[in-house]
Amino acid sequence: MTKVGFIGLGTMGASFASNVQKAGFDLTVHDLHRQLAERHVQAGAGWAASPKALGEECEVVLTSLPGPPEVDAVVLDAAGLAAGLKPGSAIFDLSTNSPSRVRRLHGLLAEKGIHFFDAPVSGGPKGAASGKCAIWVGGDEAVFNKYKHVLDAMGDQVRRIGDIGAGSIAKLAHNAAGYAMQTAFAEVMAMGVKGGLDPLALWSAIRQGARGRQRSFDFMADQYMVDQFDPPAFALKLAHKDVSLAAELGRELGVPMRMINMTLAELTEALGRGWEGRDSRVAMTLQNERAGITVKADPARVRQMIENE
């Protein structure tokens, strides 16, 4: 049985550690606050007085910490994991971290023969407690496969995204997109409520519309992900008209619409390219052009992913 260590027993970490225990792993825990470990110790987990002490007795270590400084300290301090782990052991950092920081840690630990992975989690406290969450991992594929069964005890969507840093990039992209959507939603809710709608009625209408009935990012599948915008499912000129009307309503009501006006500017630029008859998602390629990249996946693989997940 794999000997597992867990460091960081906060809101998310406590649930993760409990799920690792429930899966039958031999668990040792550590946290700055000893009292947070009581439920795990009472359930049979061992206690380590420091990350170093925990590393000395574990083959794989999971860390769930507030941010980059705490991860650096737990790994690199004199009483940190690097001082205790044996060559061949592995650390999976579940924290949301900086790609450059995790690559630096990966390099430093590789010199000691220790494998380091960035493995940020998406699911929030409820997902951590239920085990219904995604874990996006960056690092060596063979070692990931060796220890994936440990991560499977914590999440139902565990996958290696790529090399070290890839997990962090995926997490930051996901969260930034979510908060951008949240900001846009705040704008349109303010517009609708100031326009006289009941908030609950407006929210219900948005939820039951075409976009509300699909998963947040599934709209990218048929056009953007495969770089195919003809024939249109919804023409750019129609999308431009709709967003123009929303921006106009915001002006009439005196509601600032920063995100919507930025969206209208993107759609207007795309119209200026002569794309009015193409699918509205063609406007997304403007950002690809600015970044100097191309997004084009195999349509069969995109469809398989949509159908199987």
Side-chain angles (χ1 to χ4, degrees), residues 152-274:
D152 286 335
M154 298 182 294
D156 61 347
Q157 291 289 332
V158 177
R159 63 181 60 191
R160 177 183 175 271
I161 300 297
D163 294 332
I164 187 68
S168 298
I169 294 171
K171 177 66 182 290
L172 296 176
H174 174 274
N175 282 18
Y179 286 115
M181 291 168 64
Q182 172 182 295
T183 303
F185 190 72
E187 285 188 0
V188 298
M189 283 294 294
M191 177 192 72
V193 171
K194 193 164 184 179
L197 271 68
D198 173 76
L200 188 59
L202 176 57
W203 181 54
S204 177
I206 293 172
R207 287 185 66 243
Q208 295 303 320
R211 187 58 58 84
R213 293 190 184 204
Q214 64 181 172
R215 290 175 60 174
S216 300
F217 303 109
D218 283 1
F219 76 94
M220 297 167 63
D222 294 330
Q223 291 84 24
Y224 177 75
M225 288 303 302
V226 297
D227 194 33
Q228 178 58 256
F229 305 97
D230 304 291
F234 193 77
L236 174 65
K237 62 184 178 182
L238 299 178
H240 186 273
K241 178 260 298 181
D242 290 355
V243 177
S244 295
L245 289 172
E248 180 182 326
L249 178 58
R251 289 193 296 273
E252 290 175 1
L253 297 171
V255 177
M257 303 286 279
R258 296 174 185 173
M259 295 289 288
I260 299 305
N261 283 321
M262 288 176 62
T263 302
L264 180 59
E266 286 290 275
L267 298 178
T268 300
E269 182 175 343
L271 277 183
R273 299 289 185 95

Side-chain angles (χ1 to χ4, degrees), residues 29-47:
V29 297
H30 171 76
D31 193 277
L32 284 175
H33 306 286
R34 173 68 172 78
Q35 66 272 19
L36 295 180
E38 285 303 317
R39 66 189 256 196
H40 306 94
V41 173
Q42 289 179 10
W47 165 257

Side-chain angles (χ1 to χ4, degrees), residues 71-84:
V71 176
D72 283 357
V74 161
V75 174
L76 300 177
D77 279 0
L81 285 170

Side-chain angles (χ1 to χ4, degrees), residues 49-90:
S50 69
K52 178 183 177 182
L54 182 143
E56 288 172 343
E57 59 180 278
C58 294
E59 177 184 350
V60 57
V61 177
L62 310 165
T63 58
S64 181
L65 301 164
E70 291 81 7
V71 176
D72 283 357
V74 161
V75 174
L76 300 177
D77 279 0
L81 285 170
L85 284 168
K86 300 176 180 65
S89 55

